[in-house]
Amino acid sequence: MSGLAQSFNQEEICFISQDHYYKKMELQPVDDNGVQNFDKPESIDHEAFAQDIFRLKQGETIRKQEYTFNNPDKKPFDILFKPAPIIIAEGIFVFYFSEIAKQLDLKVFIDAREHIKLHRRIARDLEERGYPVDDVLYRYGAHVAPTYEKYIKPYKYDADIIIPNNIFFEIDQHSSGLDVLVSFLRSKL
């Protein structure tokens, strides 16, 4: 979403991510093999996320501690979410949780082909999180793909806009979904 963020100034837009609402490691669900599954709805403190979106819409500033993806070597910092005319609430379960979905004025579903999603997941988890490939592939097959089918895909057609992201959302220059979304949001300012 960096391309979207760069299209607006800080007074115009606020990004609030579901990623900062993961429950603590010891509260994460565990699969049949004893592996923590961060890709289930119960991994997220959705009540707090919904409440903070509501508070932002009411003009309040939210202070939240960064989620470090359970990296014990990374010291989390405080993040401020400041109210703005455009509030982007992003995350894989924003349509699934009704208390979040009902607060959304525009629902955008960004989708990609399965092999592209897998490639991106491997690259991200290797580079940013240092996970071994076997772990990434296990989690993708046992957690990510089933979660998509059960909790995300069924809400795809509840979206107001579906944007394919098979190249790169930020750099696709051919009538890109990003350009359409930016133009629409600018019209609301």
Side-chain angles (χ1 to χ4, degrees):
M1 286 301 194
S2 62
L4 186 57
Q6 292 171 358
S7 300
F8 297 91
N9 66 48
Q10 291 180 336
E11 290 76 37
E12 294 173 320
I13 198 164
C14 171
F15 282 90
I16 185 165
S17 175
Q18 168 192 285
D19 285 353
H20 296 295
Y21 292 84
Y22 275 100
K23 294 176 182 173
K24 294 182 186 226
M25 184 78 123
E26 60 272 10
L27 299 175
Q28 292 299 325
V30 177
D31 70 14
D32 293 339
N33 293 320
V35 177
Q36 287 165 317
N37 185 347
F38 298 95
D39 292 295
K40 293 197 79 143
E42 53 267 27
S43 298
I44 306 298
D45 184 351
H46 61 94
E47 294 95 351
F49 189 28
Q51 183 61 33
D52 285 353
I53 294 168
F54 178 79
R55 290 173 54 205
L56 276 169
K57 291 175 80 171
Q58 298 302 307
E60 292 182 46
T61 296
I62 306 299
R63 181 179 301 271
K64 187 89 178 137
Q65 196 170 67
E66 173 196 25
Y67 179 67
T68 61
F69 296 93
N70 300 300
N71 182 346
D73 299 328
K74 187 171 182 186
K75 184 180 185 314
F77 57 88
D78 281 349
I79 302 170
L80 283 181
F81 298 107
K82 296 180 181 178
I86 298 170
I87 298 169
I88 305 288
E90 68 91 18
I92 62 173
F93 298 119
V94 295
F95 297 171
Y96 175 78
F97 295 121
S98 63
E99 67 270 30
I100 295 171
K102 70 182 178 187
Q103 294 188 69
L104 305 176
D105 297 321
L106 177 70
K107 295 177 184 165
V108 179
F109 192 101
I110 300 173
D111 203 9
R113 291 185 186 102
E114 192 65 30
H115 71 280
I116 293 171
K117 291 187 282 189
L118 175 59
H119 173 77
R120 289 175 181 165
R121 180 73 176 232
I122 292 169
R124 183 201 71 187
D125 284 359
L126 287 174
E127 294 169 19
E128 294 178 20
R129 300 182 186 161
Y131 296 160
V133 174
D134 289 348
D135 183 58
V136 177
L137 292 174
Y138 173 79
R139 288 177 187 272
Y140 195 87
H143 301 170
V144 176
T147 290
Y148 177 79
E149 291 298 321
K150 185 173 183 178
Y151 301 109
I152 300 167
K153 186 178 177 182
Y155 296 93
K156 179 176 181 174
Y157 296 104
D158 291 347
D160 300 304
I161 301 171
I162 300 170
I163 299 175
N165 182 15
N166 293 307
I167 301 174
F168 276 102
F169 188 57
E170 285 85 5
I171 62 171
D172 182 5
Q173 298 300 316
H174 306 288
S175 301
S176 81
L178 177 61
D179 291 339
V180 171
L181 187 56
V182 167
S183 294
F184 177 80
L185 294 174
R186 284 222 168 277
S187 75
K188 299 299 178 185
L189 288 176

